[in-house]
Amino acid sequence: MQALTPYKDAIDIVKEAGGEAFEQCYQCGLCSGTCPWNLVASFIVRRLIHQAQLGLVDFEDDDLWLCATCGACVARCPRGVEIIDIMRAMRNVVAEVGAAKVPDSLRITAKNIASAGNPQGEAREIRGNWAEESKVKTFTEGTELLYFSCCVPAYDPKVRRIAQATAEILNKAGVDFGILGATESCCGESIRKAGNESIFQSLANSNIQAFTESGVSKVLVSSPHCYHTFKNEYPALGGNFEVVHTAQYLLELIRDQKLKLTKELNKKVAYQDPCYLGRHNGIYDEPREVLRSIPGLELIELPDSREESICCGGGGGRIWIETKKGERFSDLRLEQAIEAGAEILAVACPYCMLNFDDSVLTMDKGEIIEIRDISELVWGAI
Amino acid sequence: MGGNITAEALDRDERRIGVYICHCGLNIADTVDVEAVANYAGTLNSVAVARDYRFMCSDPGQDLIKNDIKELNLNRVVVASCSPRMHEPTFRKACEAASLNPYLFEMANIREDCSWVHDDREVATQKAKALVRAAVARVYYNDPLEIKEIPFNPDTLVVGGGIAGIQAALEIADSEHKVYLVERDPSIGGHMIQLDKTFPTLDCSQCILTPKMAAVGAHPYIELLSYSEVEEVSGFVGAFKVKVRKKARYVDEDKCTGCGLCQEKCPWTADSEYDVGLSKRKAIYTPFAQAIPNVPVIDRDSCAYFLKGKCRACEKFCETGAIDFEQVDQFIELEVGAIILATGYDAFDPSTISQYGYGIYDNVITGLQFERLSAATGPTGGEIRLKDGRKPESVAIIHCVGSRDQNYHEYCSRVCCMYGLKVAHIVKDKTNADVYEMYIDMRCFGEGYEEFYKRVSEEGVNFIRGKVAKVTDKAVSEEEEGKLVVICEDTLLGSIIRVPVDMVVLCIALEARSDAEEVARKFIISRRADGFFLERHVKLDPVATPSDGVLIAGCCQGPKDIPDTVAQASAAAARALAMISKGRVTLEASVSHVNEDLCIGCGRCEELCEFHAPKVDIYEKPMPVSRVNEALCKGCGACAVACPTGAISIKHFKPEQILAMVDALAET
């Protein structure tokens, strides 16, 4: 039997990385009970926090990389503990203080983002190539709106349709917009949650510089992750830009009559609240309003929706980590959507799209249900 | 020099000021050179004597002052020592004992404001000298003030007829002083009359309360104003004027015999408040069988006559002709000396916590609803039953619902751990069902409480440490079919568990009444951040409020169990009786004063004052003047600031006094 004395250095190191919130935890276990991981496997969030309290975190534990930062625990915690900050801090101790090895796929992704500014590791120069077909111009001083597509639609052909649909809509509505292409880098939101604080700082500084030099004041994003970091995290580094997500902007265009939605879509559509639009930023109604504006569309509400929405599993850097079959949240959610009678599952996030497309494929549900981004649905109705 | 000495001042009697510098042991003397300060004080204008002494507040210290007043003919005294909040009364009494008006005394705080906050001896001593110089300059202009007393009305108002109000009323009434007990529900009894058994003794709540209720109803010194509410309060301690609205029952209390026939015959129903929605009552009803007074009330919102002009069955069947649809609310004016607020608590509504399924699933109930199921007078005659009438085979009891939770109420609701244990015991006793108690901590602090916890453990109750995340009806296995599944982490096992049960009882928090803000305003008291009424001092004065004469008792001051409620109610009664026994109220002399020669009767002071102290006499000739009710005035100075002609000043805080201090402090 070993004497337990709280391991002060280990406590301090997590605090210094930004995880001091563990001091407020009174170990009730509500976080564990709420965490979606316990729908598919076992993840005792509370125990990790107690380890942080006593300086007993096992930095080699794989469990440190489970958190998808969905925010369900934080929303309900009776003490208001910022649990995501604690996860991020512990990961930072691994990733940048070097206390253990980062999972391989994350390590590679971090390298790619650091060197090429995108998780796929592809050339910076071709970042804007997706936009050629839609004849999108480069953003210059005086352009009203910057469209920041997110690395995934920019580089990944599977998900490119989000950016393409958005560009077509903006053209149709006569919006004065442009992209920055090669001078853009990944927004950094997820790699920061995966513990890579310095990579985030350099990405943010690079983006802030590029935006400022080009005279950007308003940014339109397709990803709630980009939305979250531009709105809530960039200001601390001096980046103050007005940010809107397509779910909000499309509603504006519809209400201002700049878009006429006339083509009917006679399908039952369920909406997946993305964690970073919903729980993290309180945006629940605008996306639903957009969908209701599409003629013929029947909007159905999933169980566990809005604040109680179940994460697709893509946040916190997990989009770059392989999740075992049988442990995928998106599989569960797809089942719920199918059970509710949805023919289309509408998403508002590129990570959700990647995960749900994958689920449809691996569960062989392609005949029953489709995954569509709201921008695609709107474009289809014009 | 100490203060501007105007020609006017020179014409006054010579000032002979005594200055006393306290060492306070080493508290002051360690940092401030008290001898140097005393020597310095001796050089100031009009100072007849300056001394330093180890403990001025001690008897010999006070004697120094008294002797100097007599022998040296002092007419002003300054003590430089601790905060006036500590010993101003002590030294004022010492002056009084030597026949010097207590308001001719000033204190300079050279402890909390000086020696306790500085390290540098030179700096602290300089500062102490300046503070003494300022006090001496001020006291020069102090006037002797008259200390007035007013008689104390020996009648008391108790607002709220739950156990707290009942206890306080009985104690005061037993001393043969009159009590008005105002209760807004049709009967007294509060929440305690809804309870079945009380922890830890499992006394039948109604059995121990009803004798007290009967005593209230029959007491010659208690005037019970039931189905009534306080509309307006004015006046001040010792002389409150209270306007009470006696709501119309539409039943003549003098004619009603309490036979109950009207209730039997009434065809219209509504949800029973007493049974927390678990049963129905009639439109004409007494809330429960043991109601005091035993006179029914007609609920306008469910009575067909008031809604549609029909029926009147009660009137037809009443043998004494007691039904009176023409009744109107009556207004009664009361005059009392003290007021005790005992307005109780509201039960937290757990439908805001959607994850617990209250209001969604039939068999999720609150602790208060459980009391009604378990009570013999309840909708199931005391049997624990599910909505469909079956006996539950398993019950989960969830702690901390709406309390210890930043998202609802941060505080701990104090009684829920104990009543959760009681629910477990009753379920075991009446059904032998499997019982699961989901807790975070077990708070069993009172007499017999820990022992009760042990007893319940020995009854085979399963204790699971973990805050419940969800209650769901979605089964994932056969054994969960048709059950409610409680999901939580058992933190002691370190794993997530799913517990299938038939019934879920939520230990809901006690919260402040929904109209607490309104009530607080009416009685000019404040609320704490958690919504309950603010006591004067959490440790040392839990029944008084910042408003003299208004006392609080019971759960309106914070969640508490019956023993603590009764103790606090007795304390409030004792405080009221102390004031009644003294028979008079000493008014603060430092109040607002209007120079009628300068007053133009503009009324700005009356508009501003929160305590309604200044009132303009519009009939005064040659022009209206404002006069201040010294009993209401708190001496805050707002009127003095607003007065456009400078007619108002605050006694003991005249401009000359303040400006003299400013000038003295500005000197180097």
Side-chain angles (χ1 to χ4, degrees):
Chain A
M1 201 188 308
Q2 213 190 342
L4 172 68
T5 46
Y7 208 24
K8 298 253 170 64
D9 288 339
I11 295 176
D12 287 338
I13 212 172
V14 175
K15 272 196 196 172
E16 273 153 36
E20 66 276 5
F22 61 68
E23 288 179 335
Q24 299 168 338
C25 169
Y26 65 30
Q27 292 286 296
C28 70
L30 186 58
C31 49
S32 310
T34 308
C35 180
W37 267 105
N38 294 302
L39 296 170
V40 297
S42 170
F43 181 34
I44 307 299
V45 182
R46 174 204 53 84
R47 185 189 291 133
L48 217 46
I49 299 174
H50 193 44
Q51 288 171 344
Q53 287 175 328
L54 295 178
L56 294 174
V57 177
D58 176 5
F59 290 104
E60 286 171 13
D61 193 353
D62 290 329
D63 279 7
L64 284 181
W65 306 96
L66 285 180
C67 175
T69 70
C70 75
C73 55
V74 180
R76 296 198 58 206
C77 174
R79 274 270 173 97
V81 178
E82 295 290 346
I83 298 167
I84 294 177
D85 283 352
I86 302 174
M87 295 293 172
R88 182 174 53 77
M90 293 191 291
R91 291 166 173 189
N92 181 254
V93 174
V94 175
E96 295 193 342
V97 180
K101 241 184 100 203
V102 174
D104 283 334
S105 55
L106 259 186
R107 204 167 33 81
I108 294 168
T109 309
K111 261 215 188 103
N112 289 343
I113 292 181
S115 55
N118 64 84
Q120 296 89 342
E122 306 215 20
R124 278 184 197 276
E125 295 70 32
I126 61 168
R127 190 182 179 99
N129 285 7
W130 67 267
E132 279 163 13
E133 234 185 82
S134 312
K135 301 199 181 38
V136 177
K137 68 174 182 193
T138 305
F139 185 101
T140 50
E141 182 90 35
T143 313
E144 252 184 68
L145 184 69
L146 172 71
Y147 173 52
F148 189 91
S149 64
C150 166
C151 305
V152 185
Y155 285 101
D156 188 336
K158 296 197 299 279
V159 165
R160 187 160 293 154
R161 54 202 212 260
I162 299 177
Q164 283 167 333
T166 307
E168 294 296 335
I169 293 171
L170 294 175
N171 277 336
K172 194 71 197 252
V175 177
D176 176 26
F177 79 101
I179 60 168
L180 281 174
T183 50
E184 286 171 11
S185 298
C186 175
C187 70
E189 186 279 322
S190 294
I191 203 67
R192 182 185 218 188
K193 298 289 196 308
N196 290 276
E197 186 62 26
S198 27
I199 295 181
F200 168 74
Q201 299 268 339
S202 68
L203 287 169
N205 285 324
S206 163
N207 277 333
I208 292 171
Q209 195 178 4
F211 290 8
T212 312
E213 277 170 8
S214 304
V216 172
S217 62
K218 188 168 177 180
V219 187
L220 171 67
V221 295
S222 287
S223 169
H225 295 265
C226 302
Y227 179 87
H228 181 80
T229 194
F230 287 160
K231 183 153 196 282
N232 303 312
E233 298 177 339
Y234 274 43
L237 290 148
N240 288 290
F241 310 102
E242 195 193 327
V243 202
V244 277
H245 184 271
T246 43
Q248 302 169 297
Y249 196 66
L250 292 180
L251 185 62
E252 245 184 80
L253 293 177
I254 293 170
R255 284 186 178 153
D256 290 345
Q257 314 253 357
K258 298 223 177 83
L259 291 176
K260 300 268 183 336
L261 305 183
T262 50
K263 282 208 221 127
E264 279 192 8
L265 175 67
N266 294 311
K267 297 251 177 169
K268 289 204 174 76
V269 177
Y271 172 68
Q272 158 71 352
D273 285 287
C275 304
Y276 274 83
L277 217 52
R279 258 188 302 271
H280 284 284
N281 285 292
I283 297 168
Y284 300 105
D285 296 311
E286 287 106 311
R288 287 172 166 81
E289 280 307 310
V290 171
L291 291 170
R292 281 196 206 105
S293 314
I294 296 174
L297 187 151
E298 188 189 329
L299 182 64
I300 51 180
E301 202 63 45
L302 292 175
D304 304 314
S305 71
R306 301 177 75 100
E307 292 85 358
E308 295 176 41
S309 172
I310 300 180
C311 179
C312 75
R318 285 204 64 81
I319 195 67
W320 305 308
I321 301 179
E322 180 65 30
T323 307
K324 280 194 288 226
K325 203 161 191 305
E327 290 185 358
R328 298 174 186 166
F329 306 162
S330 50
D331 286 358
L332 279 182
R333 197 63 166 148
L334 194 68
E335 292 276 14
Q336 281 186 325
I338 293 172
E339 216 186 288
E343 296 167 272
I344 295 179
L345 180 60
V347 296
C349 173
Y351 291 173
C352 286
M353 178 164 268
L354 282 174
N355 278 342
F356 283 115
D357 269 348
D358 219 44
S359 293
V360 169
L361 212 63
T362 53
M363 288 162 74
D364 198 18
K365 302 285 181 189
E367 307 287 314
I368 312 178
I369 191 164
E370 291 177 85
I371 312 299
R372 288 272 173 271
D373 186 80
I374 350 185
S375 56
E376 289 185 273
L377 292 173
V378 169
W379 180 237
I382 293 177
Chain B
M1 289 273 125
N4 288 330
I5 304 179
T6 61
E8 186 190 13
L10 287 170
D11 284 343
R12 290 169 160 189
D13 292 347
E14 190 199 335
R15 293 286 188 270
R16 296 180 55 75
I17 304 174
V19 183
Y20 303 87
I21 316 297
C22 187
H23 295 216
C24 193
L26 290 175
N27 270 312
I28 297 175
D30 233 10
T31 314
V32 171
D33 183 348
V34 286
E35 276 179 42
V37 176
N39 287 335
Y40 171 73
T43 66
L44 297 171
N45 237 13
S46 302
V47 171
V49 64
R51 302 188 196 279
D52 64 277
Y53 186 69
R54 283 204 89 211
F55 293 106
M56 282 308 300
C57 56
S58 64
D59 279 346
Q62 293 181 51
D63 282 343
L64 273 180
I65 298 174
K66 291 183 211 173
N67 290 334
D68 280 350
I69 291 174
K70 291 194 196 118
E71 284 161 28
L72 299 178
N73 230 349
L74 298 181
N75 52 29
R76 298 283 186 286
V77 172
V78 170
V79 171
S81 61
C82 50
S83 160
R85 285 181 76 85
M86 292 289 300
H87 281 303
E88 186 169 62
T90 313
F91 297 122
R92 277 185 175 171
K93 285 204 183 82
C95 290
E96 255 184 308
S99 306
L100 185 67
N101 186 288
Y103 287 89
L104 297 175
F105 165 77
E106 275 302 321
M107 267 179 93
N109 182 344
I110 59 169
R111 190 180 76 170
E112 283 86 336
D113 282 355
C114 189
S115 68
W116 275 2
V117 294
H118 297 300
D119 294 315
D120 186 326
R121 196 175 169 81
E122 227 192 273
V123 164
T125 306
Q126 280 304 103
K127 182 170 170 180
K129 286 182 183 171
L131 290 171
V132 168
R133 185 171 66 235
V136 168
R138 189 192 206 277
V139 83
Y140 192 97
Y141 293 99
N142 281 23
D143 293 320
L145 298 180
E146 193 191 333
I147 298 170
K148 299 184 188 156
E149 284 182 338
I150 50 164
F152 194 95
N153 186 324
D155 296 349
T156 306
L157 168 67
V158 175
V159 183
I163 178 63
I166 289 172
Q167 181 71 21
L170 285 173
E171 290 208 21
I172 297 174
D174 282 346
S175 77
E176 295 185 353
H177 288 103
K178 171 124 193 192
V179 178
Y180 297 98
L181 179 55
V182 172
E183 165 55 53
R184 72 172 169 197
D185 282 348
S187 165
I188 53 175
H191 280 296
M192 190 174 165
I193 199 67
Q194 289 177 292
L195 308 181
D196 176 36
K197 303 267 195 298
T198 54
F199 57 77
T201 49
L202 300 171
D203 281 308
C204 158
S205 182
Q206 298 170 21
C207 306
I208 58 177
L209 182 58
T210 43
K212 288 194 190 259
M213 288 168 61
V216 166
H219 209 297
Y221 282 91
I222 297 181
E223 190 173 324
L224 175 56
L225 298 167
S226 60
Y227 208 49
S228 305
E229 288 193 59
V230 171
E231 288 280 302
E232 214 181 282
V233 180
S234 59
F236 45 92
V237 56
F240 287 111
K241 278 198 175 51
V242 183
K243 190 169 168 197
V244 175
R245 173 197 294 263
K246 203 164 182 332
K247 298 182 285 191
R249 283 178 186 259
Y250 308 107
V251 176
D252 188 333
E253 286 180 60
D254 295 322
K255 294 189 182 152
C256 175
T257 59
C259 72
L261 200 55
C262 52
Q263 298 178 64
E264 246 185 76
K265 299 300 184 184
C266 174
W268 310 100
T269 60
D271 280 338
S272 163
E273 294 85 351
Y274 179 63
D275 279 341
V276 203
L278 291 178
S279 73
K280 299 279 188 206
R281 56 144 172 91
K282 298 300 180 69
I284 183 169
Y285 71 105
T286 45
F288 46 86
Q290 314 97 317
I292 305 269
N294 191 12
V295 178
V297 134
I298 297 183
D299 168 25
R300 291 177 73 110
D301 293 331
S302 39
C303 167
Y305 171 70
F306 284 110
L307 291 173
K308 301 177 258 196
K310 300 206 228 142
C311 187
R312 299 176 83 127
C314 50
E315 197 182 32
K316 293 187 194 113
F317 284 98
C318 178
E319 288 166 12
T320 57
I323 308 295
D324 178 7
F325 289 106
E326 305 308 311
Q327 241 185 38
V328 289
D329 292 351
Q330 274 185 282
F331 289 92
I332 304 176
E333 297 269 349
L334 302 176
E335 285 183 12
V336 294
I339 298 175
I340 299 178
L341 293 179
T343 48
Y345 66 88
D346 272 347
F348 173 78
D349 176 5
S351 44
T352 48
I353 310 181
S354 54
Q355 295 88 350
Y356 288 163
Y358 182 77
I360 301 173
Y361 304 124
D362 278 341
N363 294 305
V364 177
I365 60 174
T366 65
L368 199 53
Q369 287 174 315
F370 181 86
E371 298 291 330
R372 297 314 309 145
L373 283 184
S374 174
T377 53
T380 57
E383 307 260 338
I384 310 303
R385 292 277 178 267
L386 301 171
K387 194 87 185 270
D388 61 8
R390 286 180 298 136
K391 239 182 170 173
E393 289 175 347
S394 46
V395 177
I397 299 166
I398 302 181
H399 286 216
C400 301
V401 177
S403 56
R404 296 191 71 193
D405 191 331
Q406 229 169 264
N407 300 305
Y408 307 102
H409 295 299
E410 199 168 339
Y411 58 81
C412 166
S413 185
R414 199 176 169 107
V415 300
C416 321
C417 279
M418 287 311 298
Y419 87 64
L421 286 175
K422 176 191 65 179
V423 170
H425 167 81
I426 292 176
V427 170
K428 272 294 189 195
D429 191 39
K430 291 190 169 176
T431 67
N432 212 27
D434 289 330
V435 178
Y436 301 90
E437 189 104 8
M438 274 80 171
Y439 69 99
I440 308 174
D441 291 295
M442 285 306 295
R443 298 185 162 180
C444 308
F445 54 90
E447 273 78 64
Y449 289 11
E450 183 63 30
E451 293 83 343
F452 187 69
Y453 177 20
K454 181 173 179 211
R455 173 184 176 171
V456 174
S457 311
E458 286 163 359
E459 286 166 0
V461 170
N462 301 297
F463 286 91
I464 294 174
R465 186 188 182 277
K467 187 171 168 76
V468 171
K470 201 174 169 116
V471 174
T472 178
D473 65 351
K474 291 202 175 27
V476 300
S477 66
E478 223 191 284
E479 47 190 348
E480 291 182 6
E481 289 293 340
K483 302 273 191 194
L484 290 170
V485 182
V486 176
I487 302 172
C488 70
E489 182 200 346
D490 180 325
T491 63
L492 297 178
L493 283 180
S495 43
I496 307 290
I497 55 170
R498 294 175 66 97
V499 186
V501 293
D502 288 322
M503 179 190 266
V504 172
V505 180
L506 303 175
C507 292
I508 48 170
L510 277 56
E511 60 182 22
R513 291 274 190 194
S514 55
D515 65 346
E517 181 62 31
E518 223 188 285
V519 174
R521 268 185 219 283
K522 243 179 231 178
F523 292 91
I524 310 186
I525 59 173
S526 330
R527 299 198 298 148
R528 294 196 303 248
D530 60 16
F532 294 96
F533 294 146
L534 181 67
E535 60 281 292
R536 190 175 274 186
H537 190 286
V538 169
K539 286 198 180 12
L540 300 177
D541 207 349
V543 297
T545 63
S547 287
D548 288 333
V550 178
L551 308 168
I552 49 180
C555 287
C556 66
Q557 187 262 345
K560 52 179 68 71
D561 51 19
I562 293 167
D564 286 346
T565 297
V566 169
Q568 200 180 36
S570 299
R575 185 66 65 84
L577 285 171
M579 292 190 276
I580 293 171
S581 159
K582 184 173 174 185
R584 51 192 205 285
V585 177
T586 310
L587 301 179
E588 172 60 53
S590 170
V591 290
S592 172
H593 172 77
V594 179
N595 179 344
E596 299 198 2
D597 293 333
L598 294 176
C599 175
I600 55 170
C602 71
R604 218 167 288 188
C605 50
E606 191 178 334
E607 267 177 53
L608 257 189
C609 180
E610 281 190 48
F611 306 100
H612 312 298
K615 280 237 160 23
V616 177
D617 181 354
I618 56 174
Y619 299 112
E620 181 69 14
K621 301 272 184 285
M623 85 188 302
V625 282
S626 176
R627 297 212 172 83
V628 176
N629 178 329
E630 299 195 351
L632 288 173
C633 176
K634 297 283 182 198
C636 73
C639 54
V641 169
C643 177
T645 60
I648 303 186
S649 62
I650 309 299
K651 291 189 197 170
H652 202 57
F653 287 90
K654 302 179 301 187
E656 302 95 89
Q657 288 168 289
I658 309 298
L659 293 172
M661 289 182 89
V662 172
D663 283 336
L665 289 169
E667 271 180 54
T668 40

